[in-house]
Amino acid sequence: MPNNNPGFSTLAVHAGAAPDPTTGARATPIYQTTSFVFESADHAAALFGLQQFGNIYTRIMNPTQAVLEERVAALEGGAAALAVASGHAAQLLAFHAIMQPGDNFVAARKLYGGSINQFGHAFKNFDWQVRWADPADAKSFEAEIDARTRAIFIESLANPGGTFVDIAAIAEVAHRHGLPLIVDNTMASPYLVRPLEHGADIVVHSLTKFLGGHGNSMGGILVDGGTFDWSASGNYPMLSEPRPEYAGMVLHQTFGNIAFAIAARVLGLRDLGPAISPFNAFMILTGIETLPLRMQRHCENALAVATWLKDHPKVGWVGYAGLTDNDNYALQQRYSPKGAGAVFTFGLKGGYEAGKTLVESLQLFSHLANIGDTRSLVIHPASTTHRQLTEDQQVAAGAGPDVVRLSVGIEDASDIIADLEQALSKV
Ligand SMILES: Cc1ncc(COP(=O)(O)O)c(C=O)c1O
């Protein structure tokens, strides 16, 4: 690129990609192959021994996936990335690289319901414990840290409430205790918030949402910020001690600032196996090209919808951080001045039953369990995404019985509002 420091929109279209050297194809090809021919026996041995980077087998890496990784790493300002089959797979592999049985991590209580489930239930089988803290209070994370704590985990913009979190304050707590801060940046996307610039060490995404953007492909990614010292404490043996699988190689010593991303690939992805398909990597790459344009429109539309809902007689409250009288407005202005995102919740005066009537009456909105699609989406979290939680946990997660969550799409704002108006008239 002629400019050494290209802008975000340029990176969204070009980072990681070049015309295919064999065919000249301009769009990144879908390398739909399981495996790759070695140049020689020595070449094969060097690849298997990690002395040389290269394609071996699509469970571990693939050229379409590699372009996606380079692009998202560039958008987040990270050193390296690893794309996988889903957002949950990215979280699993991020923790797999740094946790041993008996270790724990501290996570924000306000998270996507599936993450609360993954951390609180599935991770127990690895003997990884989660402790919960209040994302609005950095000190509450500190109170949960002990000698076996290995990381802090937050969402930059918390699902489902659409609340911005003070990343720098929580990063300061993490670093004072020698811990990495992992940030799920799914809801904001790097267009709105770049957590690594505020002190985060690792970023994870569900690519299924705004990055892919069209509601058609599952994917996840982890981004290595490249700045955390994995050897300082001796608490991250996967990275700082010799690996028997690789003839005693110490990953942090050998790979330096990309050691975490390498560990997630060659120890996590290789052995646990949640690889992204080349087709999905291609679909998500294509989606990312229009991320800046879509996010602008998502934010404009969400602000228009939230402003209209606020004055509706059947609506009790609207939790959109972009409204000037919202408690979270100052943090939104600090962390995400370009907009407050597309996803927010509001409460219906009629409670649980009114919520059900509304989702059943909407016509332009789709009633489904996803966010970040071009289309406007609606869900009643208490009866769906958060139903596995107790009512107390639902309320703590911002998903009480009266709560409706919108993911405002990129249609005409007037049509989105007209649909809400006709559905609210039936409540
Ligand atoms: C904020 C957030 N993180 C992670 C996930 C999990 O991603 P995936 O569904 O791609 O596994 C989701 C899914 O809704 C999410 O909303």
Side-chain angles (χ1 to χ4, degrees):
M1 280 182 233
N3 179 356
N4 286 337
N5 190 17
F8 189 91
S9 297
T10 306
L11 292 173
V13 175
H14 291 283
D20 183 62
T22 315
T23 62
R26 190 61 189 88
T28 297
I30 305 171
Y31 287 92
Q32 192 66 28
T33 179
T34 55
S35 26
F36 301 84
V37 176
F38 305 119
E39 289 160 19
S40 64
D42 285 346
H43 176 228
L47 292 178
F48 275 95
L50 297 183
Q51 281 96 25
Q52 201 177 324
F53 278 121
N55 298 303
I56 299 175
Y57 187 58
T58 285
R59 169 151 47 70
I60 306 166
M61 65 191 280
N62 171 286
T64 316
Q65 172 194 353
V67 177
L68 174 61
E69 288 163 350
E70 210 174 307
R71 187 160 307 171
V72 177
L75 294 179
E76 287 287 2
L82 174 67
V84 291
S86 67
H88 264 19
Q91 293 172 188
L92 170 65
L93 295 194
F95 284 107
H96 181 261
I98 58 177
M99 302 279 284
Q100 298 291 304
D103 286 346
N104 67 67
F105 63 99
V106 188
R109 202 173 278 124
K110 275 196 183 141
L111 295 180
Y112 162 57
S115 298
I116 294 177
N117 236 9
Q118 184 188 45
F119 296 170
H121 298 292
F123 279 9
K124 275 193 186 147
N125 286 359
F126 300 100
D127 198 12
W128 303 339
Q129 312 298 328
V130 62
R131 295 154 175 216
W132 303 108
D134 176 3
D137 176 11
K139 287 201 188 77
S140 71
F141 288 84
E142 190 146 34
E144 298 297 329
I145 294 171
D146 68 13
R148 296 300 300 265
T149 304
R150 295 292 176 261
I152 291 182
F153 184 97
I154 58 173
E155 288 177 0
S156 52
L157 174 56
N159 187 357
T163 317
F164 287 89
V165 174
D166 191 346
I167 301 170
I170 299 172
E172 192 277 320
V173 170
H175 296 160
R176 196 147 31 80
H177 290 270
L179 304 172
L181 175 64
I182 306 175
V183 178
D184 179 344
N185 198 29
T186 298
M187 288 256 293
S189 90
Y191 175 75
L192 292 179
V193 181
R194 288 163 41 109
L196 299 175
E197 290 174 358
H198 302 288
D201 302 285
I202 295 160
V203 172
V204 293
H205 276 282
S206 168
L207 296 170
T208 318
K209 319 297 178 193
F210 293 97
L211 282 160
H214 295 74
N216 57 25
S217 308
M218 298 294 299
I221 201 158
L222 56 84
V223 181
D224 185 344
T227 48
F228 192 79
D229 184 346
W230 300 105
S231 304
S233 64
N235 286 337
Y236 303 98
M238 298 268 279
L239 290 140
S240 67
E241 285 178 17
R243 292 308 308 175
E245 307 94 321
Y246 292 108
M249 180 181 279
V250 176
L251 294 183
H252 191 206
Q253 236 169 46
T254 308
F255 296 105
N257 72 336
I258 60 168
F260 172 81
I262 295 281
R265 184 188 304 279
V266 304
L267 304 177
L269 182 58
R270 188 198 63 169
D271 293 351
L272 299 176
I276 189 168
S277 76
F279 183 78
N280 281 13
F282 169 83
M283 294 299 280
I284 292 164
L285 259 179
T286 306
I288 288 174
E289 295 183 7
T290 55
L291 176 73
L293 295 171
R294 285 185 289 104
M295 288 310 290
Q296 279 163 22
R297 181 63 166 262
H298 277 299
C299 291
E300 280 165 25
N301 282 358
L303 182 59
V305 170
T307 305
W308 180 84
L309 279 173
K310 203 160 68 84
D311 295 329
H312 197 283
K314 292 184 182 170
V315 173
W317 53 269
V318 177
Y320 190 57
L323 296 174
T324 50
D325 60 354
N326 188 278
D327 290 347
N328 199 232
Y329 183 70
L331 272 185
Q332 183 260 313
Q333 288 291 301
R334 179 169 154 210
Y335 280 100
S336 184
K338 284 190 278 193
V343 179
F344 67 93
T345 52
F346 66 97
L348 286 163
K349 288 180 183 161
Y352 192 90
E353 286 308 318
K356 280 178 62 181
T357 306
L358 181 82
V359 295
E360 280 169 7
S361 306
L362 285 164
Q363 293 167 10
L364 183 65
F365 277 83
S366 304
H367 178 205
L368 52 74
N370 196 21
I371 56 170
D373 195 329
T374 49
R375 286 156 280 260
S376 288
L377 314 174
V378 64
I379 202 157
H380 182 223
S383 59
T384 52
T385 49
H386 288 62
R387 70 173 297 146
Q388 73 280 8
L389 307 181
T390 64
E391 193 168 323
D392 281 352
Q393 282 175 319
Q394 286 177 348
V395 172
D402 63 323
V403 175
V404 174
R405 182 187 75 189
L406 301 182
S407 175
V408 177
I410 61 171
E411 305 97 333
D412 288 295
S414 55
D415 290 329
I416 300 171
I417 290 172
D419 192 31
L420 283 164
E421 187 162 29
Q422 66 76 22
L424 279 167
S425 74
K426 304 202 170 91
V427 166

